[in-house]
Amino acid sequence: MKLAVIKRLGLFFIWILLQVVLFNTINLFGYATPFLYIYPFICFNTQMSKNEQLLWAFFVGLAIDLFANTPGVNAAATLVLVFFRLPILHLYTPHDSWEDVMPSVYSIGHIPFLKYLISLVLLHHLVLFSLDAFSFINISLLLTKWLVSSMFTILCLWGISSVERR
Amino acid sequence: MRHLIRFLVHHNYIFLFLLLEFASFVLIINFNYYQQGVYFTSCNRLVGSFYDVTGGISSYFNLREQNDSLVSSNIRLQQELTLLQQQLNKQQQDSLYRSLEQTPMFADYTLYDARVINNSVNHLNNYITLNKGAKDGIQPAMGVVNGNGIVGIVRAVSAHYSLVLSVLNSKSTISCKLKNKEFFGYLLWTGESSQEAQLCDLPTHAILQKGDTIITSGYSALFPEGMMVGVINKIDHAPDGLSYILGVKLSTDMTHLSAVRVIANNKREERIEVESKTVKE
């Protein structure tokens, strides 16, 4: 149990480091920034305690926020992602197949995983960008940023999930 | 009742979710409305020292561009200097002019040098972290510039680091004017390009054209008059018909920032005191 927590801590540490040093500096076409640190949350085992998932989501999101000067924004978005993860997975996969599974391209299949991924990333980024904008009224810019960044994140995470064989 | 309690116990994660979301929103609102929150930003000790290291490394990657921009700004200044010297020589036959004492631009200001250790351009509200803080004399509401023009305004400081509201932030408003004319407006960022900002509130009777230079007005205590801001690249009229909305190409390349200067106005407190007195009366 303890070992699992330390392992997870190490994993998140690497993702946070990559996100703040590398991914946050990417600004493709002036619009797209990938938020790949959400990958471990997408792949959490469905059996994992929901409270634990939420706590991880909050603290990892907060860590990203500290580095990006957006206190609370990533934390709120990641919490939403984790909260709606299982209901969304439920939508796209047969009832009996998601009892004890770590969602990936190989465990639930390409199409269901892609649907699951697209829904979650769109949701996460929507919360993220609207909270980041906060008192900033420029809907078309917000939508462009949201869609382009989501697309970027989805492509990257789909690639990672396809490459990562377990 | 028992069903309700069982439901609540079974779904206790919903409460945790709501609690944590609430905490996040408190942080968001605190940061957006109150200036004090330094601890949850990159200018706290831990994140600051992390960026000190990574910023130090990444500053080597754009040395070439830094050099290029220094050379071109040197050449421009050299040219201006020659031109001004020529003019001065012509004027100096006039004895009255000679007696006028020329005060240098930074007479009432102290400059602190600092280095950008973290910078973003892809948010709608961008911030910059500097490697100098309260212990080095930096205080909130000081202007930040580099060799090419304005960079931002110090928003919060910790002991060793400071957080700067970038020009590329929707909350930043900087008082600017047309060079050689006394028409002024304020600079805003619309979130679109990291190269461009908007100048609003400039009256329509101002005579201007594309390519005109925009400088700081010196009306706020943040920047001395005449710091370079950018050049006009688009001219539009505001919906009210009374003012222009100008597109301004920023002279500072906000994507590659390294060495900057923080400007402290030595007479700022005196000035604020006088101004607030006048308002009260």
Side-chain angles (χ1 to χ4, degrees):
Chain A
M1 180 63 199
K2 238 180 197 168
L3 193 72
V5 170
I6 292 170
K7 254 183 163 173
R8 195 155 280 147
L9 204 63
L11 180 74
F12 276 124
F13 183 75
I14 293 168
W15 275 109
I16 292 170
L17 208 67
L18 285 174
Q19 181 67 44
V20 299
V21 177
L22 206 62
F23 308 142
N24 273 352
T25 59
I26 298 175
N27 194 12
L28 211 62
F29 321 119
Y31 294 111
T33 306
F35 292 88
L36 306 186
Y37 74 94
I38 57 174
Y39 185 64
F41 296 105
I42 288 172
C43 305
F44 268 164
N45 194 305
T46 48
Q47 290 291 61
M48 189 173 164
S49 138
K50 283 174 185 152
N51 287 336
E52 197 189 335
Q53 291 187 30
L54 288 171
L55 285 174
W56 277 114
F58 180 70
F59 287 110
V60 171
L62 199 61
I64 301 283
D65 284 331
L66 292 192
F67 285 94
N69 292 310
T70 52
V73 174
N74 278 283
T78 315
L79 280 170
V80 169
L81 178 141
V82 164
F83 189 77
F84 289 101
R85 191 176 78 101
L86 290 182
I88 287 172
L89 184 64
H90 197 161
L91 280 180
Y92 302 129
T93 52
H95 211 297
D96 52 348
S97 71
W98 58 277
E99 280 303 317
D100 179 16
V101 70
M102 293 168 76
S104 78
V105 167
Y106 298 101
S107 64
I108 62 174
H110 264 280
I111 301 302
F113 181 73
L114 205 55
K115 284 184 191 164
Y116 166 70
L117 183 68
I118 291 172
S119 319
L120 281 186
V121 171
L122 283 176
L123 181 67
H124 174 268
H125 283 32
L126 183 66
V127 178
L128 188 77
F129 282 108
S130 35
L131 287 182
D132 190 25
F134 205 77
S135 80
F136 185 84
I137 308 151
N138 191 343
I139 298 294
S140 65
L141 178 70
L142 196 71
L143 288 179
T144 320
K145 281 198 156 206
W146 171 50
L147 288 175
V148 179
S149 290
S150 299
M151 216 136 70
F152 197 2
T153 308
I154 290 164
L155 282 176
C156 292
L157 292 185
W158 192 40
I160 293 171
S161 185
S162 307
V163 173
E164 187 190 51
R165 276 176 183 276
R166 284 202 182 156
Chain B
M1 190 64 199
R2 198 188 303 151
H3 285 293
L4 182 69
I5 291 172
R6 194 188 299 158
F7 175 84
L8 293 181
V9 170
H10 191 68
H11 293 274
N12 60 10
Y13 70 94
I14 295 177
F15 295 108
L16 184 66
F17 171 71
L18 292 176
L19 182 77
L20 293 175
E21 279 290 348
F22 178 74
S24 307
F25 276 89
V26 168
L27 287 176
I28 295 172
I29 289 165
N30 249 319
F31 183 68
N32 278 295
Y33 288 117
Y34 306 102
Q35 307 277 323
Q36 292 86 0
V38 233
Y39 298 104
F40 286 103
T41 67
S42 64
C43 93
N44 74 38
R45 192 71 184 266
L46 188 76
V47 180
S49 46
F50 173 82
Y51 274 138
D52 227 349
V53 176
T54 57
I57 296 167
S58 63
S59 71
Y60 284 102
F61 291 119
N62 54 39
L63 278 183
R64 204 198 169 99
E65 284 128 42
Q66 298 283 345
N67 261 336
D68 284 348
S69 96
L70 280 180
V71 168
S72 52
S73 95
N74 252 339
I75 292 171
R76 198 191 63 222
L77 291 175
Q78 199 68 259
Q79 284 171 337
E80 269 177 38
L81 182 70
T82 335
L83 207 76
L84 289 174
Q85 266 171 349
Q86 284 169 357
Q87 278 180 352
L88 198 64
N89 284 340
K90 269 187 223 157
Q91 301 271 356
Q92 251 161 6
Q93 281 123 24
D94 180 354
S95 62
L96 183 71
Y97 189 86
R98 227 180 302 156
S99 66
L100 283 174
E101 237 180 278
Q102 295 279 304
T103 46
M105 186 170 168
F106 289 115
D108 292 339
Y109 296 86
T110 312
L111 295 185
Y112 299 101
D113 55 334
R115 196 161 50 80
V116 171
I117 52 175
N118 177 46
N119 178 22
S120 76
V121 294
N122 48 9
H123 290 278
L124 295 169
N125 294 311
N126 293 295
Y127 293 90
I128 299 164
T129 319
L130 302 182
N131 70 339
K132 295 281 168 68
K135 284 205 169 151
D136 307 284
I138 316 275
Q139 280 166 14
M142 287 182 175
V144 181
V145 297
N146 76 357
N148 295 321
I150 58 168
V151 169
I153 298 160
V154 177
R155 156 137 192 208
V157 291
S158 65
H160 300 280
Y161 302 98
S162 48
L163 189 68
V164 175
L165 194 73
S166 167
V167 171
L168 307 182
N169 189 310
S170 63
K171 288 179 218 137
S172 143
T173 52
I174 293 169
S175 175
C176 297
K177 65 171 191 176
L178 285 167
K179 194 178 184 180
N180 301 330
K181 286 168 198 154
E182 289 306 314
F183 299 109
F184 65 96
Y186 59 92
L187 193 77
L188 282 181
W189 191 54
T190 50
E192 265 136 35
S193 156
S194 63
Q195 317 286 326
E196 277 169 47
Q198 271 186 358
L199 187 68
C200 302
D201 242 21
L202 206 75
T204 38
H205 58 266
I207 301 155
L208 47 84
Q209 59 187 27
K210 276 186 194 176
D212 279 359
T213 307
I214 304 291
I215 55 175
T216 53
S217 67
Y219 292 158
S220 71
L222 300 168
F223 293 101
E225 185 184 341
M227 300 298 307
M228 182 73 179
V229 174
V231 290
I232 300 174
N233 68 356
K234 208 170 92 194
I235 300 176
D236 275 324
H237 289 272
D240 62 6
L242 297 172
S243 60
Y244 284 116
I245 295 180
L246 303 173
V248 177
K249 181 163 188 329
L250 297 171
S251 58
T252 315
D253 179 3
M254 297 298 293
T255 55
H256 294 102
L257 292 176
S258 182
V260 293
R261 297 286 178 274
V262 182
I263 303 176
N265 186 341
N266 300 334
K267 294 185 177 160
R268 179 162 164 261
E269 265 136 47
E270 193 182 328
R271 176 175 170 163
I272 289 172
E273 200 187 310
V274 170
E275 282 173 355
S276 62
K277 253 186 208 164
T278 328
V279 171
K280 268 179 210 154
E281 283 162 15

